[in-house]
Amino acid sequence: MKSDDITVQQLFQDRRQYMVPFYQRSYVWTLSNQWDQLWDDIRVKAESRLEGNRITPHFLGAVVLDPQPRVGLIGVDTLHIIDGQQRLVTLQFVLKSVLLTLKLVKSNAISEIVSGMLKNSNPDTMRDSDIETFKVWPTFRDRKNYRSAIDAKDRDELKGLFPNSFTQRETIRKIGVRHPAPLEAIWFFTARFERWVKEGTDEEVAVRAETLATSVLQDLKVVSIVLDEDDDAQVIFETLNGRGAQLHATDLIRNFIFMRADREGSDSENLYNTFWSNFEQSYWNIGQRRGRMVKPRVEWFIHASLQAELREEIDLGRLYFEYRRYVFNDNEPKTAQAQLETLTQYAVQYQELIDGSASSPIAKFGQRIAPYDITTLHSLALLIGASSISDEAKDEMFSFLLSYVVRRTICGLTTKNYNNIFISILRNLSKEELSPEVLSRLLSTLKGEASRWPRDEEFRNACQGAAIYPGALEAPKMRAILAELELGLRLNARTEDSFNSNLNNLDIDHILPRSWYKYWPLPDGTEVDQSNISSIQLKQLIGVPLDENEAAIMKRQNSIPTLGNLTLLNLSVNREAQHKAFPIKKELLLANTNLRLNVPLLGIKNWNEEEIQKRGELLADVALQVWPGIKAEPGAAH
């Protein structure tokens, strides 16, 4: 490679075009982060020239350029920008602003020089003059606004080209509008340049404008690194960006894929439009938080997809390098098209898993598992969803995974080991066929409190007597569980095609309310003072025997957060019922509910601990069907 430090004038004076490969990210520099500081640097150099001081160059950084083969005499020399597109595009905005300022003061001679830094001459000798005219040609997402801004003759024409960015008074809007970057940059630099130029007397204005132009063209420098034919552009790009964390991992992955496509002789633009362009949509670039980390959704997706493909844990912090390892994992590196086809296949599954709005097995699973926020399951879900096994087999496998998670949740068991568990299952599935039987066996072999799949007896006991809400479950999980139990109670629940998410809009209600003291006397008619509860709980905690009345109070307290006492109600109905007596609740239910969870309550005269126990037993039976357990081995206890 050849490395030189050159001025802006040397960079742009030859008849050549610096082209941003179409698959690179868009222009992202902004006023607050880069432009304002650049203006300060230019101002310092210009003022130093006016004062007659010794001029030292200001380095803007490096640009890495990859010359492209040229066939015949027609056309301009083209160099792909491997690194430095933000600098080169910004310099074009600066030069355009200098030109507008020079025209304002009618400095025609210098204007011609600056114009030559923006556009190539002799369009008749170009293959495509609409493109080759421009010294810098950005990625396709930026081209329309870039061309308009560079072509504009003056600031009035800029206003006409971008009318939505200006007020009726023809000032640029400051609130509520995100301006196209070319307009905003040129408007900013031009305003600063004009203000600085006009700080002098009328006689000094032209001199100040020419001094400004000279400073931009001669005092700003870049390190130009031009690659030879034998240099590997991808390796150099990684060295400059991958290890400095200046780009998202997916920016590096995208460039890696398409540089390989170019090397393979593939139609890169067609591959981009067919496959990768989907990942440029806003859906994939929304930031998603997991713990303390916020990453674009596409990074979480690629992380999950790599784990599904390699069936092992992937280091998120080294996602790009893990991706390279995946590509070169086999005897023959995966082609760019094969990589993109695999990512696209997983993307369909991932979107259905996250959105839960389709009718596929993974979408139904995604909707049902969403309240539990078990993102460590995503890789395993993708592996199952993208496999060639039947939908019936996928549904069965997803049912096992859901049962595993829900049973552990209701039984109050930890989620801390889930990442290791699901990675272990991924790894073991790589050694055997993908089937419900194998997954069930792998789950059934898990041992210990941090891993095991609760058996039917333990699960039933938790459904009947455990303090579930409040207790083991947060509201979204409790609401989801009651919604699924409602479907399990319906006569056609076993033939439902999709999960009824409308139930998730209902409110969780304790039929016997948590603050029951005013309207709910004990079975023997005793009214309870709320202030006594804490002292009774303390006595029980330290092992002091309770009298009959105190024992009755604690029995009631312990029954309130159990499954048998929980249901779903419309929010307004729940608020109206609040802590009212059971007959009032029944009247409200009669008028406002058709849920199978609630209809049987209408036939009950008194709601008490015994009724809660009966309903808990009924719901436990339903829960065992909705979230099935491990199939018992012949002759084994279940």
Side-chain angles (χ1 to χ4, degrees), residues 145-311:
N145 291 330
Y146 176 86
R147 180 199 291 270
S148 297
I150 296 296
D151 277 342
K153 295 181 178 63
D154 50 40
R155 290 217 285 179
D156 287 338
E157 187 171 336
L158 271 176
K159 293 175 188 175
L161 291 168
F162 302 98
N164 293 334
S165 290
F166 292 90
T167 67
Q168 291 183 345
R169 296 182 179 181
E170 297 189 342
T171 58
I172 197 162
R173 296 182 186 274
K174 295 182 179 180
I175 300 175
V177 175
R178 185 175 181 181
H179 306 294
L183 166 67
E184 189 171 13
I186 292 171
W187 201 263
F188 166 76
F189 284 114
T190 304
R192 293 296 187 274
F193 293 170
E194 288 185 6
R195 184 185 306 166
W196 184 83
V197 165
K198 291 178 180 179
E199 288 177 3
T201 64
D202 291 344
E203 293 76 17
E204 294 172 335
V205 165
V207 173
R208 292 176 71 89
E210 292 178 10
T211 300
L212 179 71
T214 303
S215 292
V216 170
L217 291 176
Q218 296 185 1
D219 298 340
L220 302 184
K221 285 191 169 186
V222 297
V223 176
S224 171
I225 303 172
V226 180
L227 305 185
D228 292 328
E229 289 184 8
D230 296 332
D231 291 326
D232 191 326
Q234 175 63 27
V235 171
I236 292 169
F237 184 82
E238 293 167 16
T239 303
L240 291 169
N241 293 291
R243 292 150 200 171
Q246 296 176 11
L247 303 177
H248 288 304
T250 43
D251 291 319
L252 296 169
I253 290 170
R254 177 192 59 219
N255 282 23
F256 169 76
I257 292 172
F258 287 100
M259 283 185 182
R260 287 201 62 79
D262 287 343
R263 188 177 301 171
E264 294 162 1
S266 302
D267 185 344
S268 297
E269 188 164 359
N270 181 57
L271 289 177
Y272 185 95
N273 293 330
T274 304
F275 297 106
W276 187 269
S277 59
N278 173 56
F279 298 115
E280 300 289 343
Q281 304 302 314
S282 59
Y283 176 88
W284 292 103
N285 292 290
I286 295 171
Q288 302 285 298
R289 177 179 293 278
R290 294 188 190 174
R292 296 181 179 180
M293 288 192 294
V294 178
K295 300 279 188 182
R297 177 179 279 153
V298 67
E299 289 201 21
W300 295 117
F301 154 69
I302 291 179
H303 179 252
S305 299
L306 284 182
Q307 291 192 155
E309 276 290 282
L310 294 172
R311 304 195 188 187

Side-chain angles (χ1 to χ4, degrees), residues 298-350:
V298 67
E299 289 201 21
W300 295 117
F301 154 69
I302 291 179
H303 179 252
S305 299
L306 284 182
Q307 291 192 155
E309 276 290 282
L310 294 172
R311 304 195 188 187
E312 62 183 73
E313 188 166 10
I314 295 300
D315 183 352
L316 180 65
R318 291 176 50 81
L319 185 62
Y320 169 65
F321 299 100
E322 295 279 27
Y323 185 86
R324 281 181 57 95
R325 180 169 67 86
Y326 155 71
V327 170
F328 296 108
N329 193 48
D330 300 322
N331 292 331
E332 289 290 329
K334 297 173 180 63
T335 65
Q337 180 162 339
Q339 296 171 51
L340 290 166
E341 287 174 347
T342 299
L343 287 174
T344 299
Q345 180 186 24
Y346 279 122
V348 173
Q349 299 296 319
Y350 190 84

Side-chain angles (χ1 to χ4, degrees), residues 20 85 94 116 236 284 287 317 333 358 401 445 502 585 598 602 614 632:
V20 182
Q85 69 140 317
V94 169
I236 292 169
W284 292 103
L401 292 173
T445 59
N502 292 333
K585 278 200 168 185
N598 296 331
L602 302 178
K614 290 178 184 177

